[in-house]
Amino acid sequence: MTWPPVTAPPQCLIPAAVAATTGFTARTRSPPRDTTGPSAPSPMCAPRSPRVCEARGLCEGPSVVAEHDRWTVYNSKVNLPAALNDPRLTKRESDFFTKTWGLDFAETEVMPSFYLPNITKEHFGPYLQETAQREKIHERCRNICPNKDDVDAVPSVTNNHDKSRTELEQVPKIFMKPDFALGDPSTFNAVLPWSHFNSAGGKNSRDMASSRLLQEKLSHYLDVVEVSIARQISLRSEAFFHAMSSQHELQDRLQETQRSAAALRQRTAAVHRLMCQGPLSALRQALSRANHVRLHNKLKLMAAVHQTQPTVQLLLSTSEFVGALELIATTKEVLQQELQGIHSFRHLGSQLCELEKLIDKMMIEDFSMYSRSDLSRSLEEEGQVLEKDRLESLVFGLLRQRKLDFLDIYSEEMILAAKSIVTQCVIDSVSHIEEIDSEIVNKLADQMRLMTFPQWFELLQSVFENFILFLKRIKATLSVIRNVVLEVLDSNQKSRLLERGAGGTAEAPGAPGQLLPGEAELAYLTHEGMFISDALNHAQQSPATVGQEQSSAVGPRSQEQSSAVGPRSQQGHSRTDACGSDSASGTTESSSSRDPSYPPGGGAGVTSNEEMMPTDLELGRIANNIQELLYTASDVSHDRCVKVLMARAKDGSLERLSSAEFVCLSRAVEGFVRDTEELCCRRSMSLRGALQSQANRFVHRFHEERKTKLSLLLDNERWKQAEVPAEFQDLVNSISDGRITLPERKPIASEDRKPSEYLHIDGQKYAVVGTVLLLIRIFLEYCQCVNDIPSIATDMLTRLSDLLKHFNSRSCQLVLGAGALQVVGLKTITTKNLALASRCLQLVVHYIPVIRAHFETKLQPKQYSVLRHFDHITKDYNDHTAEISAKLVAIMDSLFEKVLSRYEVKAPMPSVCFRNVCKQMAKMHEAIYELLPEEQTQMLFLRINASFKMHLKRQLARLGVVNDGGPQQGLVGVDIAFYTENVQALRTLEKLDLSMAEIWEQKR
């Protein structure tokens, strides 16, 4: 019998001949591989998965069919014996191989493969031995059971089975139910119908027949069932007997197994008694000892925790808030991680939280008291920072508790202190002034207004000095706070770096310098007089190994230790041990398996509670707020000074100051502003703004006074040449030297210097009136005021421009407009008045560039546009000067027109008209010669000569005198020669080209 194609075994198959002889299916083992050569699967094995074959180099195979895809052994679906012994074929194909691969395929000798082992009968020996017993059982069963190949037996058995099934179907279904029971009335009535036995006529032959028939029917049912049961028993008797024999064999094997197990247990008990009890007992004792040590450490830790509250109270009595907070935080951490679930400490956590809240309130109150005492103490005391250690401890504690609004408290106290500084300064100043009764005048502003300017100015300087000291003290205090914040920020960064390094390179437990689990808390809680970081350092310097106990009794002692502010520098503080006798052992043994939370080198104040410390962003914001608080202090100081300034200015007393007094005030304010800017790096504008407002009022009053003074001088000016005092000459000389300032008043010399007639400037002499001399001094006062108060340069330039315009317009009204006739009472405006006014205007024009250059140095580049006012003023002055020159020419022009209109060409010569003309020309020259420079005199007379020639030419044309060489021309030539000779005889006009030939009309 062969394997059908669909039931081929999954592993190596037996040859067809063996399969035919055995006649049953059996699981076979794979033949052993040859270990000496490369392993390869047997040709009789079924294909394995492609992944395994790829690993063993079996993916490639011969190309069997060229026109199809590449064929491999994995495409095979049946084995060779099944393909050759296909039962569906009537006969075996003789050309199975040659029809595909050719006629030469069967005759070709195939060389044995080097990768396949040589399979012999010995390879099947283990398999045959393993299946021999099963083969015997199979043969026995086959002999007992009918032969399935017997064709005759099969129909008989089938017919008997069908007959028995037919007979069983005659039995009612009620008897086949699993819940069949005659005790059930319904079932009993169904099986035995009582209608047959309870008829009205009683027992008769018909009833007897029915009963008998029912009994026979039931007997028949019983016989059918019994026959069926007997048939089934006969068919399965051999299997039953075989099962019974197998049961006896199984019992024998179980007894043998029981005996083997008992022997094994005896040997195991002996091994346990001889080899395991001793070592296990040693391990058990070691574990018990470790548990006792852990319990001992836990009890010591509990004793230390029990002393927490007394220690906190002691620390709070010395205002050591940071140490108390660190102790509370460490105790809470120990309670949560080491002593969690201990009944006696169930309320300690909430008590510590309440105590921590109380410490928060105490720290805020203490910081408020510290700020008040620091800011309100006398400014004359030495030392900038009051109790620096206390301040650092408070700031660190507030940072640790995330109370980040403590700067607001300091700001409020700072504002109150600034107000008290002004009040105290006013009280001190008033106490030295007898004229002011503080009982009658209660308000500070009224008291300041009753002071004279020197007294008030002294008060203001005192306020400035106190505020400078006040700001220095605030800056020093804020510097300490800022340093603490920056140190905490730096410590946070360092701790993160240490944690990163510890995470990257973990040290072995028990290494020197490394805290074992639980040592940090125990070392802290049993610090024995040491405090926080020192206790941790001590714990680090005493390395302990697991299983070793180190203890040393250290008595209480008092010494100076650090103030427990983490990474800050240690500062001396005398401390006493408050942990009691229970915490005096100082052991550093391990109390738990928790990792230490303290990095080497101390710093418990920062690293043990990183989650409670502010973040880097918050710390940076606090540092910025500290700088802003310093700016606020500067602004507050300026605001209080503004109050003092405005209290004085309320009645307009600052506007009535003299220039020197206002300059002193301006310098004092500018000095204070400059000092605060250097101190606080803040440009506060409130005081500058108030000063600017007062300066604007001062400038307005300053300008109005000088403008009124100038108007009065002009209205009283008679426009006569004034003598120039020596001091004015020195003034213009200093201007020429580049000093645009008013000279200091010098004591009167023993010998008086005589005044001069002219003002000498840069080699030129100016004949001036007295008003112009004072005008020079006035604009020098403007320049001096700008030097003293640079902030008013723009306003002062505008006012000075207005003053110069006023002088120009008013002088034009008085001279050219003849206003001086009514104002001063002059009889007439002479040419000398006109020339003198022109020269005064030229003097002012000479100094306008000097004034412009001076103001340009005081202005910002963006303010240079206001300098254009000087250009407009220069143009106006030049136009005014030109109008005066035109007026002088017009005077002579009207004279020429009047005189030459009566000119007649007749003897005697020179004529009377020309004599009058020459006389008026001489008077004109005499009036302006000493006033105007030579060049201007020549230019003026050239214009006058042009006017004379125009009128003479017009008169000659009217008279009909032409250039014909006649007697009339000769007479005119005599007059012209006389005119020319007289004009050129005047000083500075000798070389003046009169060119009189233009009077004659050209011949046509």
Side-chain angles (χ1 to χ4, degrees), residues 655 657 700-710:
E655 300 176 15
L657 295 178
H700 178 72
R701 184 196 58 81
F702 179 88
H703 174 68
E704 291 299 326
E705 287 181 357
R706 278 145 186 81
K707 187 176 181 180
T708 303
K709 181 179 180 180
L710 181 61

Side-chain angles (χ1 to χ4, degrees), residues 557-627:
R557 63 181 182 270
S558 175
Q559 57 183 2
E560 293 190 359
Q561 301 293 346
S562 67
S563 61
V565 291
R568 292 187 290 112
S569 59
Q570 295 184 352
Q571 299 154 354
H573 289 281
S574 177
R575 312 202 183 279
T576 58
D577 182 21
C579 293
S581 59
D582 293 337
S583 62
S585 61
T587 59
T588 58
E589 297 167 350
S590 174
S591 62
S592 69
S593 59
R594 187 173 51 84
D595 294 336
S597 60
Y598 298 91
V606 175
T607 58
S608 63
N609 295 281
E610 287 184 356
E611 67 280 356
M612 299 184 64
M613 295 299 292
T615 62
D616 292 354
L617 182 61
E618 291 174 336
L619 291 173
R621 190 179 296 114
I622 293 174
N624 293 334
N625 291 341
I626 292 172
Q627 187 64 35

Side-chain angles (χ1 to χ4, degrees), residues 489-534:
L489 180 60
D490 183 63
S491 300
N492 288 348
Q493 296 173 353
K494 288 182 179 178
S495 64
R496 284 197 297 272
L497 292 176
L498 288 174
E499 289 177 357
R500 257 188 229 112
T505 58
E507 296 180 357
Q514 182 181 7
L515 289 177
L516 293 177
E519 287 183 354
E521 291 80 359
L522 189 59
Y524 172 70
L525 293 173
T526 60
H527 53 78
E528 307 165 14
M530 296 184 293
F531 206 72
I532 301 178
S533 59
D534 297 309

Side-chain angles (χ1 to χ4, degrees), residues 781-818:
E781 290 177 355
Y782 277 81
C783 294
Q784 180 67 38
C785 195
V786 170
N787 289 338
D788 298 331
I789 315 174
S791 60
I792 62 174
T794 305
D795 196 11
M796 193 63 77
L797 186 148
T798 305
R799 303 305 175 95
L800 180 57
S801 301
D802 179 67
L803 184 72
L804 294 175
K805 290 178 180 179
H806 176 70
F807 174 78
N808 185 39
S809 61
R810 187 59 179 162
S811 61
C812 180
Q813 293 173 5
L814 293 174
V815 179
L816 285 178

Side-chain angles (χ1 to χ4, degrees), residues 749-968:
S750 58
E751 51 181 355
D752 295 336
R753 296 169 58 186
K754 295 181 179 181
S756 61
E757 295 182 1
Y758 300 96
L759 189 65
H760 298 274
I761 302 173
D762 296 337
Q764 294 188 12
K765 59 181 182 178
Y766 289 86
V768 294
V769 296
T771 303
V772 174
L773 293 176
L774 294 177
L775 178 62
I776 293 174
R777 186 175 184 86
I778 287 174
F779 71 66
L780 282 180
E781 290 177 355
Y782 277 81
C783 294
Q784 180 67 38
C785 195
V786 170
N787 289 338
D788 298 331
I789 315 174
S791 60
I792 62 174
T794 305
D795 196 11
M796 193 63 77
L797 186 148
T798 305
R799 303 305 175 95
L800 180 57
S801 301
D802 179 67
L803 184 72
L804 294 175
K805 290 178 180 179
H806 176 70
F807 174 78
N808 185 39
S809 61
R810 187 59 179 162
S811 61
C812 180
Q813 293 173 5
L814 293 174
V815 179
L816 285 178
L821 299 179
Q822 292 80 18
V823 176
V824 186
L826 296 180
K827 294 180 180 180
T828 183
I829 302 298
T830 63
T831 55
K832 192 170 186 177
N833 298 139
L834 293 171
L836 194 58
S838 174
R839 195 57 175 161
C840 291
L841 293 174
Q842 293 174 13
L843 177 61
V844 176
V845 171
H846 173 78
Y847 279 114
I848 287 178
V850 179
I851 299 172
R852 177 193 177 107
H854 177 74
F855 273 89
E856 188 173 359
T857 60
K858 305 301 179 183
L859 295 175
Q860 300 293 332
K862 60 182 179 181
Q863 298 174 335
Y864 285 168
S865 59
V866 297
L867 295 174
R868 66 179 183 275
H869 293 300
F870 290 113
D871 299 333
H872 300 327
I873 293 172
T874 303
K875 181 178 180 300
D876 293 341
Y877 272 71
N878 290 331
D879 293 343
H880 190 185
T881 304
E883 289 177 3
I884 292 176
S885 298
K887 182 64 174 178
L888 292 174
V889 175
I891 292 173
M892 297 302 296
D893 183 77
S894 62
L895 178 65
F896 293 151
E897 183 179 4
K898 180 179 179 181
V899 173
L900 292 177
S901 63
R902 297 191 298 270
Y903 175 64
E904 295 179 357
V905 184
K906 62 181 180 179
M909 292 297 165
S911 63
V912 177
C913 292
F914 269 78
R915 288 178 184 273
N916 291 334
V917 168
C918 291
K919 184 179 179 180
Q920 294 300 325
M921 293 283 282
K923 287 182 179 182
M924 172 65 73
H925 181 268
E926 183 181 359
I928 67 174
Y929 168 72
E930 298 293 339
L931 302 178
L932 298 179
E934 181 179 348
E935 296 80 5
Q936 292 186 19
T937 303
Q938 291 177 359
M939 292 298 299
L940 181 61
F941 272 89
L942 284 176
R943 293 177 62 186
I944 293 172
N945 180 58
S947 176
F948 172 76
K949 290 189 292 183
M950 179 187 68
H951 288 287
L952 180 59
K953 182 178 180 180
R954 188 180 302 164
Q955 184 62 23
L956 291 176
R958 189 184 306 115
L959 295 176
V961 180
V962 296
N963 186 14
D964 55 357
Q968 287 186 338

Side-chain angles (χ1 to χ4, degrees), residues 30-43:
S30 300
R33 297 180 182 274
D34 188 4
T35 58
T36 59
S39 62
S42 171

Side-chain angles (χ1 to χ4, degrees), residues 536-556:
L536 293 173
N537 292 333
H538 177 73
Q540 279 187 325
Q541 293 170 3
S542 303
T545 58
V546 177
Q548 295 181 352
E549 185 178 31
Q550 300 176 354
S551 62
S552 59
V554 182

